[in-house]
Amino acid sequence: MSLNDIPVRPATVVTGNLRPVLHEIRHALSELMAHGTHGMIDLHSLPFSSQEYAALDEFLGEGEIDLTLNVLGKTRLRESGYAGVWRIEHFDDNDKRIGYFIEIGHVPEILRSQCDDIKEGLAAMTTILAMEEDNNEDANT
Amino acid sequence: MRMQTPSPYEQTLGEHLRSQGISRRSFLKFCGLLASSMALAPSMIPKIAEALEQAKRPSVIWLSFQECTGCTESLTRSHSPSLEGLIFDAISLDYHHTLQAASGDAAEHAREEAMKEHYGKYVLVVDGSIPLDNPGYSTIAGISNLDMLKEAAAGAAAIIAVGTCAAYGGLPKADPNPTGAVSVSDIIKDKPIINVPGCPPIPVVITGVIAHFLTFGLPELDSLGRPKAFYGQSIHDRCYRRPFYERGLFAETFDDEGAKAGWCLYKLGCKGPVTYNACATTKWNDGTSFPIESGHGCIGCSEPNFWDFGGFYKALSIPTGASGKNAVYAAAAGIAAGVAIGAMNKKSKAEAASSHQTVTVEELNQESGS
Ligand code: SF4
Ligand code: SF4
């Protein structure tokens, strides 16, 4: 039996946090336009009712991109109907949502390949190519 | 977690996580979740990433005194790879008598070695209260809890008192306090002590405090020695049932229409208005829910002397009714009660033992009558 099977039907709850969040998103979007500032809003640490989550979802709408990353469990990145506004949902290994952010930027931070990873990748690729070439030379002699 | 492995203590936390196959992208996710769990603004994420990347893996000595092991269970039962699991794995846990493989002399030897090698630098974690009436009530390897605490505290950089027992005395100290139980801060006066109360504390709060200590040093504490990042707001402040409280809509029994509609549990004894903890946002069981979501009021487990609050199902005496003013009132009452109990904690053991039913607590527990 899951939590949803228990016959408790909460009446509509309004925490009053939805509108301020919508304005915060709008403000962050205008900051992105004006100064290129990358913005982030943590939705997990705000009391939000399920109705308000749904209303937020409806307000943001769907964009063109819906990506799932495999990083310590899944992470889902969804562009909203407003270009530059992204929903970032972090899940754990059991597909439980453990983090929910709105990011305002050209791409979500986590999507960009990290400089140090690129550096390590380059070193690894160089070593592998050198090893393969060594092996080929050995095979040819 | 690594136990009793000869250093490399020079390895940084970032290096360690990477050696465990955690990519930088995963690390970024980790830092984002960490910031969220520490109630820090997302703009702090790059700073956390940078600081954690550079932080040295700390040596941690964990002492368990009069306790039920619930705090350790809370931490180790979280699913992996959870945030708390990752942090816990990244520390060098050099002594924890429940978790370590070694026993007897070998275990005690590991503790002495770690204390010697990292003198002045290790983090001391304590769960459980310390009995003062008779040292024989609780001993480890024949050493009394009091002696072991004093010895280990002397070389610690900081002490984290995990659980309400270590922080405030907890269940062992509940009236009539048969063992003369006291908290860590009742004994140790010359070291920074971070209280992480809860019965048990939320796992991610335990590791979040460790992470905070590693990245930004000692966290800012409230008057009861709790990190404000996690204990800065009451359950009531962050409760999703709060709109019902404001409108004066209360469940009167656990099965009436109000209960089914998810109304406020205040009249059923909820201690949310005077309890400072992160349950309402961090939640329990991997973020599934917290007690109020399951239809039971908060019992106030992160507050001193919560066992003696008079009854889990007795309503608080704070005026109800629909107004924001009352909410402020409630919060103020919570702070005042906290301060009073905190001051009481500092009194001598004998006084503390006899003052369990304080005026403050009784006041809190008058029937609301409405
Ligand atoms: S009294 Fe309890 S159930 Fe009611 S709003 Fe406050 S914390 Fe939530
Ligand atoms: S809801 Fe209250 S009693 Fe329950 S764990 Fe949280 S602080 Fe403790």
Side-chain angles (χ1 to χ4, degrees):
Chain A
M1 193 165 95
S2 84
L3 207 60
N4 295 333
D5 298 329
I6 301 170
V8 173
R9 300 276 168 265
T12 306
V13 184
V14 179
T15 63
N17 285 325
L18 179 62
R19 281 226 80 79
V21 166
L22 297 184
H23 281 285
E24 208 179 327
I25 296 173
R26 200 207 65 83
H27 178 72
L29 200 56
S30 67
E31 285 293 295
L32 176 67
M33 267 311 289
H35 311 288
T37 325
H38 193 96
M40 215 171 181
I41 298 165
D42 179 4
L43 289 181
H44 232 227
S45 51
L46 282 173
F48 246 53
S49 68
S50 45
Q51 287 95 339
E52 285 165 322
Y53 273 125
L56 174 71
D57 241 13
E58 200 185 324
F59 176 85
L60 291 179
E62 295 297 327
E64 292 171 328
I65 300 172
D66 186 343
L67 285 177
T68 304
L69 314 182
N70 266 320
V71 279
L72 290 178
K74 293 201 165 39
T75 285
R76 189 169 174 205
L77 313 175
R78 272 185 301 155
E79 194 184 27
S80 76
Y82 303 97
V85 180
W86 299 79
R87 302 180 185 86
I88 318 294
E89 290 171 281
H90 294 306
F91 299 89
D92 68 7
D93 254 6
N94 305 308
D95 288 335
K96 191 148 277 167
R97 189 168 74 187
I98 48 176
Y100 190 6
F101 296 86
I102 299 285
E103 246 182 273
I104 297 96
H106 294 280
V107 280
E109 264 310 307
I110 197 167
L111 197 58
R112 294 164 11 125
S113 296
Q114 303 294 311
C115 291
D116 288 331
D117 282 341
I118 299 173
K119 206 163 89 191
E120 274 163 32
L122 175 64
M125 193 191 284
T126 310
T127 316
I128 290 169
L129 285 179
M131 272 164 58
E132 278 179 3
E133 274 150 28
D134 273 356
N135 286 347
N136 285 345
E137 270 170 33
D138 289 349
N140 291 340
T141 50
Chain B
M1 105 225 46
R2 290 159 42 112
M3 306 199 61
Q4 300 172 53
T5 346
S7 324
Y9 283 103
E10 291 320 309
Q11 197 181 33
T12 67
L13 219 91
E15 284 163 357
H16 175 76
L17 288 174
R18 212 116 45 246
S19 73
Q20 305 292 305
I22 292 169
S23 71
R24 282 190 179 77
R25 209 176 254 136
S26 303
F27 187 61
L28 215 59
K29 170 171 175 175
F30 170 79
C31 293
L33 293 171
L34 197 61
S36 176
S37 78
M38 293 202 273
L40 294 173
S43 57
M44 293 294 281
I45 295 172
K47 292 203 181 82
I48 296 175
E50 205 178 307
L52 265 190
E53 185 76 37
Q54 301 307 327
K56 296 270 182 283
R57 296 180 61 213
S59 165
V60 173
I61 295 178
W62 187 308
L63 301 179
S64 299
F65 298 142
Q66 292 194 126
E67 45 83 49
C68 68
T69 314
C71 297
T72 298
E73 287 284 338
S74 171
L75 187 53
T76 54
R77 295 284 156 158
S78 48
H79 292 270
S80 60
S82 63
L83 186 56
E84 42 280 35
L86 280 168
I87 300 174
F88 199 46
D89 285 349
I91 62 174
S92 175
L93 189 59
D94 289 323
Y95 178 84
H96 186 307
H97 70 201
T98 312
L99 297 178
Q100 69 194 135
S103 59
D105 284 347
E108 295 317 305
H109 187 63
R111 178 175 57 82
E112 284 154 15
E113 278 293 292
M115 276 165 46
K116 208 162 73 194
E117 196 179 333
H118 309 292
Y119 198 85
K121 286 188 291 210
Y122 59 82
V123 176
L124 178 64
V125 179
V126 178
D127 61 346
S129 64
I130 302 96
L132 292 186
D133 273 2
N134 179 339
Y137 284 149
S138 177
T139 63
I140 298 160
I143 306 165
S144 76
N145 290 171
L146 180 64
D147 288 347
M148 193 176 273
L149 174 63
K150 281 184 172 164
E151 191 194 351
I159 304 174
I160 304 178
V162 167
T164 304
C165 298
Y168 310 126
L171 178 62
K173 194 187 168 193
D175 199 26
N177 191 4
T179 63
V182 297
S183 68
V184 173
S185 58
D186 284 329
I187 296 166
I188 306 298
K189 304 287 180 194
D190 57 349
K191 292 281 169 175
I193 299 174
I194 309 166
N195 285 334
V196 184
C199 196
I202 301 172
V204 78
V205 172
I206 305 178
T207 48
V209 168
I210 297 177
H212 194 290
F213 182 70
L214 292 179
T215 46
F216 306 118
L218 284 174
E220 199 189 338
L221 305 177
D222 71 3
S223 62
L224 292 171
R226 303 176 289 201
K228 282 187 182 165
F230 300 107
Y231 297 89
Q233 276 169 314
S234 71
I235 300 291
H236 188 62
D237 284 340
R238 293 275 173 136
C239 180
Y240 75 105
R241 295 192 189 219
R242 180 67 177 267
F244 294 118
Y245 176 94
E246 302 295 349
R247 276 148 57 194
L249 296 174
F250 302 103
E252 306 272 346
T253 66
F254 283 107
D255 57 357
D256 66 3
E257 283 311 305
K260 285 180 190 154
W263 289 356
C264 171
L265 300 167
Y266 174 83
K267 288 193 179 174
L268 292 171
C270 182
K271 306 290 183 286
V274 294
T275 305
Y276 289 73
N277 205 344
C279 306
T281 46
T282 309
K283 307 198 174 175
W284 283 91
N285 298 324
D286 297 311
T288 304
S289 64
F290 73 118
I292 291 168
E293 253 179 306
S294 315
H296 194 287
C298 165
I299 61 172
C301 74
S302 56
E303 297 298 319
N305 301 340
F306 79 99
W307 292 104
D308 297 327
F309 272 12
F312 292 158
Y313 303 100
K314 268 184 161 180
L316 293 169
S317 62
I318 297 153
T320 56
S323 91
K325 198 171 130 233
N326 281 343
V328 176
Y329 203 87
I335 294 163
V339 171
I341 296 164
M344 202 185 85
N345 250 359
K346 294 194 179 67
K347 289 184 187 173
S348 74
K349 184 220 85 187
E351 260 178 297
S354 60
S355 60
H356 271 283
Q357 268 110 32
T358 65
V359 181
T360 324
V361 171
E362 275 172 354
E363 268 173 9
L364 282 176
N365 282 288
Q366 286 163 16
E367 293 285 351
S368 66
S370 46

